[in-house]
C-alpha cells in the first residue's frame, strides 16, 4: 500500500537543540497529522494541519503543511529528554474517508543529556 | 482512563491458536479501525468500520476478521495465528464529521510462537 516517506529515520541530538523532520509523498493530501509514540504506547496526536501553507504550533512544536500539499514539516525547539520517541506523520487524501489515512514509518528521536 | 481501550495489552500465543483483540471507546465516534505496526514500517490498515453495520477490508486483511458489536466496540480476531502476525496492533477511532483526526488506543502486542 501507499506509504509516506519520512526523514531522517533517526536522529541523536543534545538536550536544548532544535529538531527538524519532514514527511514527503508523491501524492497530494488534504490533511496532515503529526503523532508521537512513546515505547509501548499508542500514538498521540500532536498537531493537525488542514490547509496548504498552514503553520501551526503546539508549545515547542511547530508544523507546516507544505505549499505543494505533498509534504509537511515538524520542528521541535529546545529539545528536552521527554521528547524522546518516534514521530510519525499521517496524511488524509479525502474528507471523511478513513481508509485513506496513509502513514510514514517514523523518525526516531533520541535526546542526549 | 483512556478514551480508546485495548485488551489485552500483551499476549503470547502459539501457532494455530485463535486470538481475539478487543477495543472499546468512549469518544462517541462512529468510525473504528484496526492497524498493524511492524518495525520500520508505517501503520497498515487491517479493517475499518464506519458504523455498526459496516465492515470493510483494509490493505492487509488476509488472516484477520473483525466484529463491530456496538458503536463503542470493535474486535479483531486471528482465526489461526501464525508467527508473521507477531506485531503491535492498534485500534483507532475517528468522527463521522470533522477534519479527520485519528485517535489511537495504547496498543496490543501480540507474539505468535
Amino acid at each position: 500500500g501507499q506509504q509516506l516517506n519520512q526523514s531522517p529515520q533517526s536522529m541523536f541530538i543534545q538536550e536544548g537543540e532544535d529538531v527538524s523532520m519532514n514527511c514527503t509523498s508523491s501524492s497530494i493530501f488534504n490533511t496532515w497529522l503529526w503523532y508521537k509514540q512513546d515505547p509501548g504506547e499508542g500514538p498521540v496526536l500532536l498537531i493537525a494541519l488542514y490547509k496548504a501553507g498552514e503553520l501551526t504550533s503546539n508549545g515547542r512544536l511547530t508544523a507546516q503543511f507544505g505549499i505543494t500539499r505533498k509534504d509537511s514539516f515538524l520542528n521541535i525547539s529546545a529539545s528536552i529528554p521527554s521528547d524522546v520517541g518516534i514521530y510519525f506523520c499521517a496524511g488524509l487524501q479525502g474528507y471523511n474517508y478513513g481508509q485513506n489515512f496513509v502513514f510514514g514509518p517514523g523518525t526516531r528521536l533520541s535526546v542526549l543529556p | 482512563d483512556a478514551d480508546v481501550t485495548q485488551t489485552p495489552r500483551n499476549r503470547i500465543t502459539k501457532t494455530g491458536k485463535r486470538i481475539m483483540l478487543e477495543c472499546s471507546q468512549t469518544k462517541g465516534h462512529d468510525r473504528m479501525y484496526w492497524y498493524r505496526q511492524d518495525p520500520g514500517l508505517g501503520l497498515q490498515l487491517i479493517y475499518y468500520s464506519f458504523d455498526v453495520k459496516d465492515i470493510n477490508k483494509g490493505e492487509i486483511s488476509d488472516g484477520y476478521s473483525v466484529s463491530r458489536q456496538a458503536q463503542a466496540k470493535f474486535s479483531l480476531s486471528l482465526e489461526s495465528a501464525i508467527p508473521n502476525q507477531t506485531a503491535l496492533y492498534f485500534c483507532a477511532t475517528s468522527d463521522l464529521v470533522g477534519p479527520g483526526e485519528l485517535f489511537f488506543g495504547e496498543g496490543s502486542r501480540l507474539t505468535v510462537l
Side-chain angles (χ1 to χ4, degrees):
Chain A
Q2 185 178 174
Q3 297 271 304
L4 300 174
N5 301 307
Q6 281 190 252
S7 65
Q9 284 187 315
S10 62
M11 53 196 316
F12 292 81
I13 61 168
Q14 293 290 139
E15 184 176 353
E17 289 184 348
D18 296 343
V19 175
S20 293
M21 60 188 78
N22 65 55
C23 186
T24 61
S25 172
S26 58
S27 302
I28 289 173
F29 289 90
N30 296 322
T31 298
W32 286 97
L33 309 173
W34 282 94
Y35 289 87
K36 178 178 184 251
Q37 185 177 10
D38 291 326
E41 301 295 329
V44 174
L45 183 64
L46 299 173
I47 294 179
L49 303 159
Y50 307 115
K51 198 166 64 173
E54 179 182 356
L55 190 68
T56 297
S57 293
N58 177 5
R60 293 177 297 105
L61 278 62
T62 301
Q64 184 163 24
F65 193 138
I67 290 292
T68 65
R69 295 168 62 197
K70 294 182 179 180
D71 54 14
S72 180
F73 310 89
L74 177 69
N75 295 311
I76 306 173
S77 62
S79 59
I80 59 177
S82 62
D83 290 334
V84 167
I86 299 176
Y87 293 80
F88 64 88
C89 57
L92 178 62
Q93 291 182 302
Y95 295 107
N96 297 325
Y97 289 102
Q99 71 274 25
N100 284 337
F101 283 103
V102 181
F103 295 87
T107 292
R108 183 179 296 273
L109 177 64
S110 300
V111 179
L112 305 174
Chain B
D1 288 341
D3 293 325
V4 184
T5 304
Q6 293 182 229
T7 56
R9 294 291 312 277
N10 286 285
R11 181 72 184 269
I12 300 174
T13 191
K14 293 182 179 180
T15 298
K17 294 291 187 181
R18 184 178 188 274
I19 295 297
M20 179 180 285
L21 306 179
E22 298 185 337
C23 177
S24 62
Q25 53 117 344
T26 58
K27 297 190 76 65
H29 289 166
D30 289 306
R31 301 182 172 190
M32 299 187 73
Y33 312 78
W34 276 103
Y35 286 93
R36 169 178 171 155
Q37 186 178 49
D38 294 283
L41 295 178
L43 289 160
Q44 295 176 281
L45 183 62
I46 307 173
Y47 270 95
Y48 62 99
S49 169
F50 283 1
D51 64 43
V52 175
K53 297 180 182 178
D54 177 75
I55 299 289
N56 303 282
K57 291 183 178 180
E59 53 189 316
I60 56 164
S61 60
D62 288 348
Y64 302 95
S65 62
V66 292
S67 174
R68 184 80 182 266
Q69 301 95 325
Q71 189 216 27
K73 295 185 183 295
F74 192 36
S75 60
L76 175 72
S77 293
L78 288 68
E79 297 301 325
S80 180
I82 56 177
N84 75 2
Q85 290 177 313
T86 293
L88 190 53
Y89 292 86
F90 288 104
C91 175
T93 73
S94 69
D95 207 349
L96 177 63
V97 294
E101 297 173 3
L102 271 180
F103 297 90
F104 288 89
E106 296 173 315
S108 295
R109 182 170 296 282
L110 176 65
T111 302
V112 184
L113 302 175

